[in-house]
Amino acid sequence: MIRHIEANWALLGTNEPHWSVLSVEKFKAGQIGENIQEFYASGKHTVSYFADAAERAGVDYRNLQRCFELGCGVGRVSVWLARIFPELIAADISAPHLRLAAAAVEHLGLKNVELRLLDTLAKIEALPAFDCFVSSLVLQHNPPPVMAFLLRTIFSKLNPGGLAYFQLPTYRLGYVFKAEPYLAGALVNGQLKCMSYRKALCGG
């Protein structure tokens, strides 16, 4: 399942990296140049929602040292999280996305960001401990067994008194997941096939 997800997002990261994060026409490859500032500015809103949620929960995130961001993509939210945490580990399963995230971090001169490629179970399990976990619009792109593994592992790394802020689907009418059909549908002639909801990028 991890291999399938990686292949899917690597394709998206190669063809339409910014649009794969925010599916708005102006963020497609042909238009992103003139809209890149707006794209990265939108990440500030996600961090504002995080800060509001922490305040409602009575947690002062300003006292937290290291933040882990799952599914950082091209760094849209990362560049804002790095401004409020002394340390940020920003991770993604897609190498093409991470290359753009690295460029964004370098462009802004952010020195407190560590980018990590999490493309194996071992790399996920090898994460260091952290004080805050942030993830938005990410877990929903994984099948339930992967979501469960990610959350179990991430929660085991969260320091006592830490904060977790994440989004995932909790209910869908008529939804059923079975591993064998999922994996069978991901293979064509023994090769991984893109199964993204953005099928236009994958040839249907």
Side-chain angles (χ1 to χ4, degrees), residues 3 20 34 40 50 57 71 79 91 119 122 136 144 166 174 186 189 191 200 204:
R3 284 186 60 228
S20 71
E34 58 197 81
Y40 277 99
F50 157 77
V79 297
D119 57 353
S136 180
F166 61 98
N189 297 325
Q191 300 295 317

Side-chain angles (χ1 to χ4, degrees), residues 29-46:
Q31 303 180 52
I32 189 61
E34 58 197 81
N35 297 303
I36 192 69
Q37 290 187 347
E38 180 182 353
F39 174 85
Y40 277 99
S42 70
K44 186 177 182 178
H45 300 302
T46 299

Side-chain angles (χ1 to χ4, degrees), residues 48-72:
S48 294
Y49 301 149
F50 157 77
D52 290 343
E55 184 177 353
R56 289 195 302 271
V59 178
D60 188 356
Y61 63 86
R62 298 171 187 84
N63 294 325
L64 303 178
Q65 177 74 18
R66 177 185 288 161
C67 178
F68 169 63
E69 180 192 6
L70 177 69
C72 67

Side-chain angles (χ1 to χ4, degrees), residues 30 37 55 61 97 104 108 119 125 147 157 168 170 199 204:
Q37 290 187 347
E55 184 177 353
Y61 63 86
H97 282 86
L108 293 172
D119 57 353
E125 292 173 328
M147 284 193 279
K157 306 287 184 176
L168 79 168
T170 57
K199 291 184 179 179

